[in-house]
Amino acid sequence: EKAVNLKKDLAEMQEWMTQAEEEYLEKDFEYKSPEELENAVEEMKRAKEDVLQKEVRVKILRDNIKMLAAKVPSSGQDLATELNVVLENYQLLCNRIRGKCHTLEEVWSCWIELLQYLDLETAWLNNLEERVQMTENLPDKLDAVNDALESLESVLRHPADNRTQIRELGQTLIDGGILDDIISEKLEAFNARYEDLSHLAVSRQIALEQQLQTMRETDHMLQVLQENLAELDRQLTSYLTDRVDAFQMPQEAQ
């Protein structure tokens, strides 16, 4: 009777493993939204816990069959053979579920990381847009234009590492068919805004550089002119002080 019960327990265990494999490993999952992906991660965590909890039952079965084999070798031998099959299948199921759970957790982590990088770069784009707007309607003063140019250039020196991460993380998920529509839409919007703002910022940078150069040249010309006028004023004052006749002066003084 004990052998019959143990045989029944082995059959039930095998049936449970078959159902678990069908439910957790043979389904075709499509993760088209973050909610679906997150639910799948939680489901696989529960599946892993459920499978690992059966380890106690498996050990009890193994110990009982060993005890029976020691007492009744003829009955225990057949059960031991079936037990080995169940043990192999159980270990395989554990490994596969652990692997799938780990994979889904990695995918979820990849998605969260992508969102974090997008947030960082979006904040940078907002800052860049603000600096570009600050270059409009500047007062016609050298210091104001120079400060605006330096401010814009400091933002443009932003490293490209985050954008590289965004591209690689996004492509990894899209290649796996995971959240591909959502990610493609996010990346398209981000890249379009990045290209537009970058081109606008570089154009403003070039315009400010040219404006600054023109203002410096104008300032230099005014300075030279002021120095020449000051020298001429000094000479004329000297002539007047010395009561020199106008016709005795150089042509430019006349």
Side-chain angles (χ1 to χ4, degrees), residues 30-43:
E30 288 189 0
Y31 311 113
K32 294 301 181 183
S33 71
E35 293 76 19
E36 288 180 2
L37 177 58
E38 186 175 19
N39 290 338
V41 172
E42 294 304 318
E43 182 180 3

Side-chain angles (χ1 to χ4, degrees), residues 68-112:
L68 180 65
K71 294 179 180 178
V72 187
S74 58
S75 300
Q77 187 60 42
D78 291 339
L79 288 174
T81 302
E82 292 184 34
L83 174 64
N84 288 334
V85 174
V86 169
L87 290 176
E88 288 179 6
N89 291 341
Y90 175 73
Q91 192 58 51
L92 179 61
L93 179 65
C94 287
N95 292 340
R96 291 181 66 191
I97 286 184
R98 279 198 196 99
K100 184 165 184 178
C101 186
H102 177 72
T103 298
L104 282 175
E105 287 176 329
E106 288 290 311
V107 168
W108 178 252
S109 176
C110 188
W111 163 248
I112 295 300

Side-chain angles (χ1 to χ4, degrees), residues 43-54:
E43 182 180 3
M44 285 309 301
K45 286 181 180 179
R46 289 192 296 270
K48 185 173 72 171
E49 291 174 2
D50 189 22
V51 170
L52 293 178
Q53 284 175 358
K54 291 293 190 294

Side-chain angles (χ1 to χ4, degrees), residues 120-135 146-163 193-194 197-198 200-202 204-205 208:
L120 287 173
E121 287 304 283
T122 298
W124 174 75
L125 285 176
N126 292 340
N127 189 20
L128 179 61
E129 186 173 26
E130 182 180 342
R131 297 298 175 92
V132 170
Q133 291 172 350
M134 289 171 61
T135 65
N146 188 59
D147 290 346
L149 177 60
E150 289 182 353
S151 177
L152 181 59
E153 287 177 336
S154 69
V155 179
L156 284 172
R157 285 193 288 269
H158 183 68
D161 297 352
N162 288 350
R163 294 195 299 280
R193 188 182 179 209
Y194 171 79
L197 270 178
S198 296
L200 178 59
V202 171
R204 290 298 301 152
Q205 180 187 20
L208 288 173

Side-chain angles (χ1 to χ4, degrees), residues 6 15 26 33 49 71 84 97 105 131 141 144 153 165 183 186 208 214-215 234 248:
L6 288 173
E15 183 181 357
E26 294 183 0
S33 71
E49 291 174 2
K71 294 179 180 178
N84 288 334
I97 286 184
E105 287 176 329
R131 297 298 175 92
K141 294 181 179 179
E153 287 177 336
Q165 290 294 326
I183 292 173
K186 281 183 175 292
L208 288 173
T214 301
M215 294 178 77
R234 187 189 63 77
Q248 295 174 335

Side-chain angles (χ1 to χ4, degrees), residues 31-32 37 104 107 170 172-181 183:
Y31 311 113
K32 294 301 181 183
L37 177 58
L104 282 175
V107 168
T172 297
L173 291 168
I174 290 172
D175 289 345
I178 299 166
L179 307 179
D180 45 356
D181 291 339
I183 292 173

Side-chain angles (χ1 to χ4, degrees), residues 198-237:
S198 296
H199 290 154
L200 178 59
V202 171
S203 297
R204 290 298 301 152
Q205 180 187 20
I206 294 172
L208 288 173
E209 288 172 346
Q210 293 173 343
Q211 183 181 359
L212 194 60
Q213 180 65 24
T214 301
M215 294 178 77
R216 284 172 175 165
E217 291 174 356
T218 301
D219 274 6
H220 179 69
M221 290 173 60
L222 287 173
Q223 184 179 356
V224 171
L225 180 59
Q226 286 175 344
E227 291 173 356
N228 290 338
L229 287 173
E231 175 63 21
L232 181 59
D233 183 65
R234 187 189 63 77
Q235 290 178 358
L236 289 174
T237 302

